[in-house]
């Protein structure tokens, strides 16, 4: 025992080592001397780390990458918050957005699919007690709770299934719903949300038709999270924060004989989400356990709210074997009102021009460094191709191209300029589908032509050589 103690202290070095060596030698020699006096233990004074620098309070700091973190403030117990996205108290959408969501549900229902929407509550509500006092006093917590509930109910009015997520913002939580310095939820937050989803779906008759399975979740390792907010502070202030370490979970089932033989059917529940649905947080696993059915996770990390949904709707999996339930997960601060969001999602459900006779069609080689004229409504006869009735379906011969600029002209002189940029994490096989613009000066306007290529005003790199585009214009569902 004495040798073990000696070896342990030797690794520490310094004065303590010397004192213990002397003690051990004296004991071995049988000397009758008193034990030597040890030096006092060191004392430490703990101070709060990392007060934010003045740059964090300067709006001019939040440019480029940092724009999504406007404005970071220091909370209690090491928490960080964004004063814009985390502290929302109003969530109402534009009327045309609600209408588009209702149209999306009806189109999916024609394929036998029920849409389930999960707008995840903001961090300010889920960690209200961690807000700094001066922020908490000005945060309309009750208004935010009511506003969030109203959003959920407004979505339900469009025929969409929305679980009772409003229950999440009331009552104490045994573990944090979100990470201290990151915009993602914790596995605990993912599990609580999965339980709400299960309650909503299991009450539906069409869910009862899905064969049940038994799943088991267990802790396996840890999740180490430095945090996106901490990374932003590192850029602004030059110092970092310690990692937050929490348990990691995995969910598995032994499966049926059909599963083991490779004859299992495709899951009837599909999850198309954001980075919150990344395997690190085990949301799909918690869903499988709570629902008692397989869940196919097609979520995309780093793709925003639409990348996973677009990729799945444009896939052969959706065309050949659509699920009973399609779960669309997204943070509640997501920009549902973004102008071009549903212009892409809705025609993707109907597979663009694939099953329609195009009014115009052409294949052109695109110039690498400038816009190229493709479709043209002319040649002696101008067809009455109105904006509100038609869509464009573009297929490139290069599936790796994820960014394309459109310049659409109308006979009334109007010009619709926009760029579609896809996440590099998704694969839509070089296909771009979009409804022509509606609204003032566009709905009744007659389509004249469309130019494609890199954005001429953005200084973008040229397209690769040899890019060809097959461009179709056809009638769309209205």
């Amino acid at each position: 025992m004495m040798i073990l103690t000696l070896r342990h202290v030797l690794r520490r070095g310094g004065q303590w080592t010397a004192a213990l060596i002397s003690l051990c030698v004296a004991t071995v020699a049988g000397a009758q001397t008193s034990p030597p006096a040890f030096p006092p233990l060191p004392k430490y004074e703990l101070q709060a780390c990392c007060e934010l620098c003045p740059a964090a309070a300067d709006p001019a700091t939040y440019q480029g990458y940092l724009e999504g973190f406007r404005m970071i403030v220091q909370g209690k117990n090491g928490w960080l918050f964004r004063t814009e996205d985390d502290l929302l108290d109003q969530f109402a959408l534009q009327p045309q957005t609600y209408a588009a969501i209702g149209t999306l549900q009806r189109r999916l229902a024609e394929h036998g699919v029920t849409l389930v929407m999960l707008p995840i509550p903001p961090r300010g509500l889920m960690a209200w007690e961690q807000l700094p006092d001066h922020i908490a006093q000005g945060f309309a917590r009750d208004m935010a709770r009511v506003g969030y509930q109203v959003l959920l109910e407004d979505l339900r009015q469009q025929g969409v299934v929305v679980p009772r997520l409003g229950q999440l913002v009331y009552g104490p939580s045994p573990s944090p719903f979100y990470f201290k310095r990151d915009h993602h939820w914790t596995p605990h937050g993912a599990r609580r949300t999965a339980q709400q989803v299960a309650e909503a779906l299991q009450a539906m008759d069409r869910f009862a038709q899905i064969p049940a399975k038994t799943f088991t979740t267990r802790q396996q390792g840890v999740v180490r999270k430095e945090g996106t907010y901490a990374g932003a502070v590192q850029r602004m202030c030059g110092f970092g924060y310690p990692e937050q370490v929490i348990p990691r979970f995995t969910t598995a089932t032994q499966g049926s004989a059909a599963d083991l033989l490779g004859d299992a059917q495709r899951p009837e529940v599909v999850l198309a989400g954001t980075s919150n649905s990344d395997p690190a947080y085990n949301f799909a696993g918690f869903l499988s356990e709570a629902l008692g059915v397989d869940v196919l996770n097609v979520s995309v990390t780093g793709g925003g709210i639409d990348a996973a949904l677009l990729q799945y709707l444009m896939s052969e999996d959706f065309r050949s074997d659509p699920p009973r339930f399609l779960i669309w997960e997204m943070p509640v601060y997501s920009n549902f009102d973004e102008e071009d969001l549903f212009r892409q999602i809705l025609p993707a459900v109907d597979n663009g021009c694939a099953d329609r006779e195009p009014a115009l069609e052409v294949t052109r080689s695109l110039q690498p460094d400038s816009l190229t004229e493709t479709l043209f409504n002319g040649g002696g006869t101008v067809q009455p191709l109105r904006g509100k009735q038609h869509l464009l379906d573009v297929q490139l011969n290069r599936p790796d191209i994820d960014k394309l600029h459109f310049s659409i002209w109308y006979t009334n002189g109007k010009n619709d300029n926009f760029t579609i940029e896809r996440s590099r994490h998704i694969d839509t096989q070089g296909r771009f589908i979009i409804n022509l613009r509606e609204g003032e000066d566009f709905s009744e306007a007659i389509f004249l032509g469309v130019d494609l290529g890199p954005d001429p005003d953005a200084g973008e790199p040229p397209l690769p050589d040899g890019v060809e585009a097959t461009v179709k214009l056809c009638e769309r569902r209205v």
Side-chain angles (χ1 to χ4, degrees):
M1 179 65 69
M2 182 178 296
I3 294 176
L4 291 176
T5 303
L6 179 60
R7 288 176 179 171
H8 174 70
V9 178
L10 279 173
R11 287 197 296 268
R12 300 186 57 164
Q15 189 174 3
W16 278 79
T17 304
L20 271 182
I21 290 175
S22 300
L23 172 63
C24 295
V25 170
T27 303
V28 171
Q32 301 299 316
T33 59
S34 300
F38 292 101
L41 293 173
K43 295 182 179 180
Y44 299 95
E45 182 178 350
L46 299 180
Q47 296 180 347
C49 169
C50 314
E51 289 294 328
L52 291 178
C53 61
D58 183 359
T61 301
Y62 295 87
Q63 306 293 328
Y65 171 79
L66 292 176
E67 188 171 357
F69 296 91
R70 187 182 303 270
M71 308 257 300
I72 292 183
V73 295
Q74 182 72 58
K76 300 175 182 177
N77 301 310
W79 281 73
L80 295 174
F81 294 90
R82 296 175 295 183
T83 57
E84 292 193 3
D85 289 339
D86 292 344
L87 303 180
L88 293 174
D89 56 21
Q90 298 183 32
F91 305 94
L93 306 178
Q94 296 294 326
Q96 61 267 27
T97 303
Y98 287 119
I101 292 171
T103 300
L104 174 60
Q105 166 52 35
R106 291 191 295 274
R107 299 283 174 78
L108 288 170
E110 294 174 2
H111 296 272
V113 180
T114 296
L115 179 63
V116 182
M117 290 189 68
L118 301 182
I120 308 305
R123 292 175 81 250
L125 278 180
M126 303 309 295
W128 179 83
E129 69 281 0
Q130 303 298 343
L131 290 171
D133 291 338
H134 72 284
I135 296 291
Q137 292 170 4
F139 178 47
R141 184 188 183 194
D142 290 339
M143 179 183 295
R145 283 172 164 174
V146 172
Y148 181 61
Q149 295 270 35
V150 170
L151 169 68
L152 302 182
E153 185 56 35
D154 287 344
L155 292 173
R156 294 186 187 107
Q157 294 301 314
Q158 311 310 314
V160 176
V161 174
V162 182
R164 299 172 65 186
L165 302 178
Q167 293 188 348
L168 298 174
V169 303
Y170 292 93
S173 176
S175 299
F177 192 92
Y178 284 100
F179 285 96
K180 290 184 175 183
R181 294 174 288 274
D182 192 85
H183 66 284
H184 296 101
W185 57 16
T186 63
H188 171 74
R191 173 172 258 163
R192 288 184 64 193
T193 305
Q195 291 167 349
Q196 294 297 327
V197 176
E199 289 183 12
L201 268 59
Q202 289 170 344
M204 302 178 66
D205 291 339
R206 69 189 322 256
F207 181 82
Q209 302 170 15
I210 304 175
K213 291 185 178 181
T214 300
F215 293 82
T216 301
T217 297
R218 63 187 180 92
Q219 182 179 338
Q220 187 175 44
V222 295
V223 177
R224 297 181 178 275
K225 182 67 68 174
E226 177 184 352
T228 50
Y229 295 14
V233 171
Q234 175 72 40
R235 294 191 181 205
M236 291 187 293
C237 301
F239 61 77
Y241 288 81
E243 290 182 330
Q244 185 178 356
V245 181
I246 64 172
R248 182 178 185 135
F249 297 89
T250 60
T251 302
T253 179
Q254 293 182 348
S256 65
D259 294 333
L260 299 176
L261 294 173
D263 296 330
Q265 293 182 341
R266 186 178 300 279
E268 300 269 23
V269 178
V270 171
L271 169 63
T274 66
S275 52
N276 277 319
S277 297
D278 186 272
Y281 315 117
N282 197 43
F283 182 47
F286 291 135
L287 280 173
S288 292
E289 181 183 43
L291 291 168
V293 301
D294 283 317
V295 174
L296 175 62
N297 187 7
V298 300
S299 303
V300 173
T301 296
I305 65 172
D306 60 339
L309 191 64
L310 276 173
Q311 177 175 254
Y312 181 65
L313 294 176
M314 296 173 70
S315 70
E316 182 58 33
D317 288 346
F318 175 74
R319 298 289 165 214
S320 62
D321 193 9
R324 291 179 188 264
F325 295 91
L326 176 56
I327 300 174
W328 188 14
E329 169 269 310
M330 74 291 289
V332 73
Y333 59 77
S334 304
N335 185 9
F336 295 96
D337 293 327
E338 198 275 320
E339 192 171 19
D340 296 330
L341 179 64
F342 290 98
R343 287 179 67 191
Q344 297 182 70
I345 292 174
L346 291 175
V349 178
D350 299 320
N351 202 16
C353 294
D355 301 320
R356 294 171 176 78
E357 184 68 25
L360 297 173
E361 180 177 2
V362 71
T363 298
R364 289 277 190 271
S365 295
L366 301 185
Q367 298 295 320
D369 54 1
S370 62
L371 292 177
T372 302
E373 181 183 293
T374 55
L375 287 184
F376 178 65
N377 184 14
T381 302
V382 177
Q383 301 183 52
L385 307 173
R386 302 186 187 281
K388 67 179 182 181
Q389 298 171 336
H390 293 84
L391 66 89
L392 283 169
D393 191 334
V394 179
Q395 178 65 66
L396 303 181
N397 65 338
R398 290 285 301 267
D400 58 320
I401 294 177
D402 54 19
K403 190 173 186 179
L404 190 65
H405 186 76
F406 289 67
S407 182
I408 304 174
W409 293 90
Y410 296 85
T411 58
N412 64 0
K414 290 295 181 180
N415 180 217
D416 182 17
N417 275 286
F418 60 91
T419 298
I420 295 179
E421 183 173 8
R422 301 275 170 73
S423 168
R424 59 184 177 85
H425 301 289
I426 72 172
D427 180 14
T428 50
Q429 296 297 310
R431 192 179 181 196
F432 298 81
I433 309 173
I434 191 159
N435 286 337
L436 295 186
R437 189 174 300 282
E438 294 186 64
E440 185 179 0
D441 297 327
F442 286 102
S443 291
E444 297 297 332
I446 304 299
F447 171 85
L448 180 61
V450 58
D451 304 335
L452 301 175
D455 187 344
D457 299 322
E460 295 175 352
L463 297 175
D465 292 329
V467 176
E468 285 190 349
T470 297
V471 188
K472 300 177 183 179
L473 184 138
C474 64
E475 288 192 5
R476 60 168 156 137
R477 298 280 305 281
V478 293

